[in-house]
Amino acid sequence: SPGSPLDGRHLSSAPCFSPQADFNGKHDSLFFNDGVRRIDFVLVYEDEDKKDFDKRHTFQRKKASLMKMGMALEATRSVVDDKLIFVKVHMPWDVLCTYAEVLHIKLPIQPNDLASRPSPWRFFSCVTKHFYPSEDKIGTEADFYTAPFEKDRLEYFYVKDQDNFFTPSMRSRMAYYILNRAPYEIRGNIKKFGITKLLDSGVYKAAYPLHDCRFNVRSTELGSPNERLLLYEEWAHPKSFYKMQPLDLIRKYYGEKIGIYFAWLGFYTLMLALAAAVGLGCFIYGYHTQETSTWSKEVCDPNIGGAIVMCPQCDLECTYWRLNSTCESSKKLCIFDNFGTLVFAVFMSVWVTLFLEFWKRYQAELEYEWDTVEFLEQEEQPRPEYEAKCSHERINPITRAKEKVPYTACGRCIRLSLGIGTVLFWILLILASVVAIIVYRLAVFFAFSAKLRAQDLKELEPFREYVTPQMATTVSASIISFVVIMILNILYERLPRTKTEYENSLTLKMFLFQFVNYYSSCFYIAFAKGKVVGYPKEPVYLLGKYRNEECDPGGCLMELTTQLTVIMGGKAIWNNIQEVLLPWVKNLIFRHCTQAGSEKVIPRWEQDYQLQPIGKLGLFYEYLEMVIQFGFVTLFVASFPLAPVLALVNNLFEIRVDAWKITTQFRRMVPEKAQDIGAWQPILQGVAILAVATNAMIIAFSSDMIPRLVYYWSFSVFPYGDHAESTMSGYINNTLSIFNIDDFSNFSRPHNTPYCYRDFRNPPGHHKEYQYNMQYWHVIAAKMAFIIVVEHIVYFTKFVLSYIIPDVPVHVREQIKRERYLTQVIIHEANLKLKHDIGLQKEKMKVEVVYCLRFKG
């Protein structure tokens, strides 16, 4: 509103702009040339004298308002490029106080008088201290009770030094807030404002807060905190990979939004250590028991598996094959398809609940320590892009006051429909790519079956047992699937009210796309492949041409494991290379081009300009990468117990890579407030709920565990079997059905005919020839019962754990109540003082009136 602190006209009433100043030679200085006023923000533009006349006039007009916003400005020409002008921005005390109140920034009122809870690891401090950042270097922050700042009650706040009362990150945040709302053009109802728009249009080339020093050299400036150097040495440097993160220093330097991301990533990685240990134990158990598996021995036995001839898996060109040709793959399958995997799947369902519940508790502690407990919507100001489009009036349903909105109800519905339509289009495009890959699998399996015969692979003697048509098809399709995923991901990356709502909306849309993109091929292998294949006489065809592919005799679990390994491993390698190499190479090229043959002393603001800018979405893609990984770890863990191990190794690199990247290769981020991880929290909870169902269904339909249990308990003994006791002996033969090769259709009949296929069907000559037998229905019933029982048990356990674990720790709840009490006391005392002062003023006026009357009398 006009006249408010947010109004550009109000701020322009007291401009403070210094003429262009020469660089004073102090390359580490964070102050104006006077050495007193701190640089809170830097703007960079090209000198208009170097431009054409028309462009010069336009650029001057657009910059005029940003030069008059109640802040002190000092311009300095670049020492490397004469065309560049650096405008240093300083926030005076009055402006800081005004906008601290506008932004509801919490500031200290008095030291915390509650005793801190002792660490449970204090007895092992002589050992654990080596895994924490050095307290001698970083130190510990004083703990204060805080309250939202009010300019009129300044005396109640803990102000020791005006210059350091507001931290550099607070000052930068307030400076960016003002710059983002400074109008530069108003035409009728259309209002253009904000540094973001001017950056997009090229009026300004960059806008950023300063790093306080070089990342690997201590600042020569007296009193510099050197926090960037401390972060590099104790956090981002590879030698500190084993140390815990200095979260308070990260939050102090980069703001709460960056701090909460690294806190979540560190907590997730710590919890992964437990899951990785259990998963590795299950893998070792499977590896050691693969040679003792009865059904695997039967497959490899020349007298059992070698005597069983299997029907061709494709038409015409495919040949008959003996079951023992899959001996090695059946052994490898035993590593993942065993009872340990079942236990691990149930464990992971409980683990994910514990992870989410304990994260809520840890997040509550951080919310209190970082003063974001009451970070409500009224504290978060509307996005400038939203404000600029507000041209329609409506009545606010809460305040009943008129307010400006960008769209009418009809316009909002149209935009919503377009947004949903766009997401659905991309999802359909992904599904089309999945269908294309399925067709590729069917076609190439036919080719591999015809070409990859044993006699043709003599030169691959050590690997001949593994180079089967099925494995070649699986690996090649997985690699192609990964490439398609990355291409679609890149293509897809090419107006809610607040910034949080904007990010939440984008988060949901992008996750839906990525969910289908990354997981669709895995869902196909787990739940669709090999489920509808018919039988040799009447196979099922895709698109009327391609015969549906079958799983290995032991099921599709091994193929799902291969798919997960390729996608998880490839994604981790690609992302880390992209995050490390790209910014480093770009910075190297930029420095080479701008400083070729130059030995000049470069100031702090120009050193930062040579770094990479932070993207508009900030940490969005970092969160997305980790949440997609979380899905792989939880949704399909029943097929790949090593997924948590791979995720743990990747995350140990990811933390240090992200730390190194933002500390050394990027300009300092504008600090932002954040209470939690936003829309990612409900997405994680949704994935956790879905993971119970997917793992139960993988065990039921993709693995061979349920058919083995049904055979062991029912069909190996009377009345279906011949054994006196339950046993796995004879299982392989029991799972195979006999087929009369004379029943082949002309289209399916192999060229080189010389009679088994994997299914539970009646043999030829039976009165229900080739129809499902009784064992098939027993297996189906057992699978459904398994899914229902496991889901209910796990969901009930998740519900109980969620109920008994409080979201907010008791000691944090007590400190929050204590802080609110102190704030109420201060407000009450301020009101009493105000009333007392008014009363004294009234008494004084009465005395003066009486005195005047007596004097006149």
Side-chain angles (χ1 to χ4, degrees):
S1 60
S4 73
L6 302 182
D7 183 32
R9 290 169 292 181
H10 173 79
L11 292 173
S12 65
S13 62
C16 182
F17 180 66
S18 301
Q20 195 170 119
D22 294 330
F23 172 48
N24 59 10
K26 297 180 179 179
H27 62 279
D28 282 334
S29 178
L30 301 174
F31 296 86
F32 282 14
N33 279 3
D34 58 16
V36 176
R37 291 173 292 177
R38 174 184 290 274
I39 301 172
D40 297 315
F41 220 84
V42 175
L43 307 175
V44 186
Y45 68 94
E46 286 191 1
D47 190 356
E48 290 84 0
D49 294 336
K50 311 291 183 183
K51 296 180 178 291
D52 298 335
F53 177 80
D54 293 337
K55 289 184 178 179
R56 188 190 316 166
H57 176 71
T58 304
F59 277 39
Q60 285 176 342
R61 174 171 51 81
K62 289 186 175 181
K63 286 204 301 291
S65 63
L66 293 183
M67 296 295 188
K68 301 174 182 178
M69 295 183 299
M71 299 184 291
L73 307 175
E74 182 179 81
T76 301
R77 190 174 295 275
S78 168
V79 300
V80 175
D81 186 352
D82 289 340
K83 293 185 295 183
L84 293 180
I85 302 294
F86 291 85
V87 179
K88 294 164 281 185
V89 179
H90 169 74
M91 298 277 287
W93 172 256
D94 287 342
V95 178
L96 287 171
C97 291
T98 299
Y99 282 92
E101 187 170 353
V102 169
L103 296 175
H104 297 79
I105 293 178
K106 287 188 172 184
L107 290 160
I109 51 179
Q110 76 172 50
N112 190 338
D113 57 0
L114 284 179
S116 60
R117 188 177 62 168
S119 170
W121 308 105
R122 63 188 183 278
F123 300 111
F124 308 98
S125 58
C126 58
V127 177
T128 57
K129 69 178 181 180
H130 298 293
F131 296 94
Y132 285 86
S134 173
E135 290 188 5
D136 296 334
K137 292 182 178 180
I138 294 180
T140 55
E141 287 191 48
D143 194 10
F144 289 93
Y145 291 116
T146 59
F149 184 78
E150 293 185 34
K151 192 174 181 180
D152 296 335
R153 295 173 179 172
L154 183 61
E155 66 273 14
Y156 292 102
F157 287 88
Y158 196 80
V159 184
K160 276 190 173 182
D161 179 11
Q162 283 190 0
D163 292 336
N164 296 314
F165 181 59
F166 296 103
T167 64
S169 61
M170 291 178 185
R171 300 171 70 105
S172 298
R173 180 184 164 205
M174 288 186 273
Y176 184 71
Y177 178 84
I178 298 172
L179 292 170
N180 233 3
R181 282 158 178 78
Y184 60 84
E185 187 174 347
I186 300 176
R187 293 181 182 177
N189 292 331
I190 300 175
K191 182 169 60 173
K192 296 182 179 180
F193 55 86
I195 190 65
T196 306
K197 288 281 187 182
L198 294 178
L199 287 169
D200 292 339
S201 61
V203 175
Y204 282 91
K205 295 183 72 66
Y208 51 89
L210 284 181
H211 282 297
D212 62 0
C213 65
R214 283 175 285 179
F215 72 87
N216 57 353
V217 179
R218 186 169 295 277
S219 174
T220 58
E221 190 76 10
L222 186 64
S224 173
N226 290 292
E227 291 176 345
R228 186 188 185 195
L229 176 65
L230 291 175
L231 285 170
Y232 177 70
E233 291 180 344
E234 297 295 318
W235 179 47
H237 197 284
K239 68 182 175 75
S240 300
F241 76 95
Y242 62 92
K243 291 185 178 181
M244 302 294 286
Q245 301 182 89
L247 293 176
D248 288 333
L249 183 59
I250 297 169
R251 172 251 180 173
K252 181 182 177 183
Y253 192 74
Y254 288 114
E256 287 79 9
K257 194 166 192 177
I258 304 294
I260 202 74
Y261 165 73
F262 281 103
W264 176 81
L265 181 56
F267 185 82
Y268 171 47
T269 304
L270 188 64
M271 290 292 290
L272 270 177
L274 175 61
V278 178
L280 186 61
C282 289
F283 175 80
I284 294 172
Y285 167 79
Y287 184 82
H288 282 289
T289 57
Q290 63 176 324
E291 299 292 341
T292 61
S293 171
T294 304
W295 63 273
S296 179
K297 286 180 178 180
E298 290 187 351
V299 171
C300 298
D301 191 337
N303 298 321
I304 301 177
I308 298 175
V309 179
M310 302 295 292
C311 289
Q313 292 183 313
C314 68
D315 298 329
L316 301 178
E317 293 294 334
C318 291
T319 62
Y320 294 93
W321 52 284
R322 295 191 180 275
L323 185 61
N324 66 347
S325 65
T326 63
C327 176
E328 291 300 322
S329 62
S330 68
K331 288 181 180 179
K332 298 298 177 286
L333 184 62
C334 292
I335 299 175
F336 303 102
D337 192 0
N338 54 66
F339 292 110
T341 304
L342 171 61
V343 174
F344 184 58
V346 174
F347 166 80
M348 285 300 294
S349 299
V350 176
W351 173 88
V352 73
T353 303
L354 293 175
F355 163 65
L356 293 174
E357 293 304 316
F358 284 128
W359 164 246
K360 289 178 187 176
R361 288 172 60 83
Y362 185 47
Q363 184 173 260
E365 293 183 24
L366 294 177
E367 285 177 15
Y368 172 73
E369 292 176 6
W370 293 355
D371 297 322
T372 60
V373 173
E374 297 175 353
F375 178 61
L376 305 176
E377 186 176 351
Q378 60 263 28
E379 297 179 44
E380 187 179 19
Q381 305 300 324
R383 294 189 310 126
E385 295 83 353
Y386 174 89
E387 292 180 329
K389 295 183 179 182
C390 290
S391 57
H392 303 279
E393 283 191 351
R394 74 160 189 175
I395 302 297
N396 189 299
I398 299 173
T399 63
R400 309 307 298 173
K402 288 185 178 180
E403 66 175 3
K404 294 278 189 178
V405 294
Y407 314 109
T408 61
C410 180
R412 187 174 180 83
C413 288
I414 293 173
R415 285 181 59 85
L416 185 63
S417 300
L418 289 174
I420 293 174
T422 302
V423 174
L424 288 177
F425 167 77
W426 281 97
I427 289 176
L428 290 175
L429 184 62
I430 295 167
L431 295 178
S433 71
V434 172
V435 173
I437 292 173
I438 293 172
V439 171
Y440 163 82
R441 298 172 72 104
L442 300 178
V444 85
F445 179 75
F446 179 85
F448 283 154
S449 297
K451 301 295 182 183
L452 295 181
R453 296 190 176 95
Q455 60 269 25
D456 299 331
L457 298 174
K458 292 181 179 179
E459 65 275 10
L460 299 176
E461 185 59 37
F463 308 101
R464 190 173 65 178
E465 295 174 339
Y466 304 99
V467 185
T468 62
Q470 192 76 36
M471 183 56 68
T473 303
T474 299
V475 173
S476 62
S478 298
I479 294 173
I480 293 173
S481 178
F482 170 72
V483 172
V484 170
I485 285 170
M486 301 311 295
I487 291 174
L488 288 174
N489 194 21
I490 293 170
L491 291 176
Y492 187 74
E493 290 173 4
R494 292 266 183 253
L495 207 50
R497 178 171 183 138
T498 65
K499 185 176 179 66
T500 297
E501 288 180 1
Y502 172 74
E503 291 181 354
N504 290 349
S505 174
L506 178 65
T507 296
L508 184 58
K509 292 175 185 175
M510 182 62 85
F511 179 75
L512 286 175
F513 168 80
Q514 298 282 18
F515 183 91
V516 179
N517 194 21
Y518 278 103
Y519 302 143
S520 55
S521 59
C522 296
F523 274 104
Y524 162 73
I525 295 172
F527 306 122
K529 182 183 175 183
K531 303 300 184 291
V532 186
V533 295
Y535 63 101
K537 183 179 180 180
E538 296 180 5
V540 178
Y541 293 89
L542 178 66
L543 305 177
K545 180 179 180 182
Y546 300 101
R547 179 172 167 175
N548 280 1
E549 58 180 335
E550 302 177 25
C551 296
D552 275 332
C556 286
L557 199 66
M558 195 65 195
E559 189 169 345
L560 181 58
T561 302
T562 304
Q563 181 82 4
L564 287 169
T565 305
V566 170
I567 295 180
M568 278 192 73
K571 180 175 176 292
I573 294 170
W574 170 257
N575 286 338
N576 281 308
I577 290 175
Q578 195 176 30
E579 290 179 7
V580 173
L581 285 184
L582 282 184
W584 181 77
V585 171
K586 286 180 180 179
N587 287 335
L588 191 66
I589 294 172
F590 186 83
R591 284 195 296 269
H592 177 74
C593 294
T594 57
Q595 300 181 33
S598 174
E599 296 181 358
K600 296 177 181 178
V601 176
I602 302 176
R604 170 84 267 130
W605 49 87
E606 197 157 354
Q607 294 175 38
D608 285 5
Y609 176 68
Q610 295 173 355
L611 299 176
Q612 289 297 301
I614 293 294
K616 289 184 179 180
L617 294 177
L619 293 172
F620 175 83
Y621 290 109
E622 308 295 338
Y623 272 117
L624 182 62
E625 178 188 348
M626 288 296 103
V627 172
I628 293 296
Q629 181 206 86
F630 179 80
F632 281 121
V633 168
T634 54
L635 291 174
F636 307 102
V637 74
S639 66
F640 191 33
L642 289 180
V645 178
L646 291 182
L648 176 63
V649 173
N650 174 74
N651 287 8
L652 290 174
F653 282 100
E654 183 73 22
I655 291 174
R656 304 305 161 178
V657 166
D658 286 348
W660 176 84
K661 180 176 64 176
I662 69 170
T663 305
T664 66
Q665 302 301 310
F666 282 84
R667 296 170 191 160
R668 188 172 180 176
M669 297 183 183
V670 177
E672 293 184 53
K673 203 82 168 174
Q675 187 178 23
D676 48 37
I677 60 175
W680 299 111
Q681 183 82 22
I683 286 175
L684 291 174
Q685 291 172 337
V687 171
I689 292 172
L690 180 61
V692 177
T694 57
N695 283 300
M697 292 174 69
I698 285 172
I699 293 173
F701 294 111
S702 296
S703 81
D704 218 26
M705 188 174 300
I706 302 302
R708 290 202 299 266
L709 288 174
V710 170
Y711 174 79
Y712 181 82
W713 291 109
S714 299
F715 284 82
S716 65
V717 293
F718 182 82
Y720 301 106
D722 300 328
H723 299 281
E725 296 180 351
S726 296
T727 178
M728 286 301 298
S729 179
Y731 169 73
I732 289 299
N733 199 50
N734 177 263
T735 61
L736 300 175
S737 298
I738 299 175
F739 181 74
N740 188 345
I741 59 175
D742 294 333
D743 292 333
F744 270 120
S745 65
N746 292 329
F747 185 75
S748 302
R749 186 183 303 276
H751 288 324
N752 48 345
T753 305
Y755 334 73
C756 288
Y757 61 101
R758 193 171 194 275
D759 208 343
F760 297 105
R761 293 179 183 267
N762 294 313
H766 195 277
H767 66 282
K768 293 184 177 180
E769 184 180 68
Y770 299 136
Q771 293 185 18
Y772 289 119
N773 59 24
M774 181 60 68
Q775 188 171 353
Y776 171 82
W777 299 111
H778 275 75
V779 170
I780 290 295
K783 288 181 176 181
M784 300 306 298
F786 172 82
I787 292 173
I788 294 171
V789 171
V790 169
E791 280 188 354
H792 280 68
I793 291 175
V794 174
Y795 281 137
F796 178 74
T797 305
K798 288 166 69 70
F799 171 77
V800 171
L801 289 174
S802 301
Y803 181 78
I804 64 176
I805 300 175
D807 292 346
V808 182
V810 175
H811 70 280
V812 172
R813 194 179 294 115
E814 290 175 352
Q815 289 179 325
I816 293 173
K817 290 179 180 178
R818 171 70 175 160
E819 187 171 285
R820 286 175 179 168
Y821 167 75
L822 288 175
T823 304
Q824 291 173 353
V825 168
I826 288 173
I827 294 173
H828 179 65
E829 289 179 352
N831 291 334
L832 288 178
K833 183 180 179 182
L834 181 62
K835 289 181 180 179
H836 179 68
D837 292 343
I838 294 173
L840 288 178
Q841 194 171 7
K842 287 181 178 180
E843 289 295 329
K844 184 178 180 182
M845 290 175 64
K846 286 181 182 179
V847 171
E848 289 177 352
V849 170
V850 171
Y851 177 77
C852 290
L853 291 173
R854 286 180 179 177
F855 181 76
K856 289 181 179 180

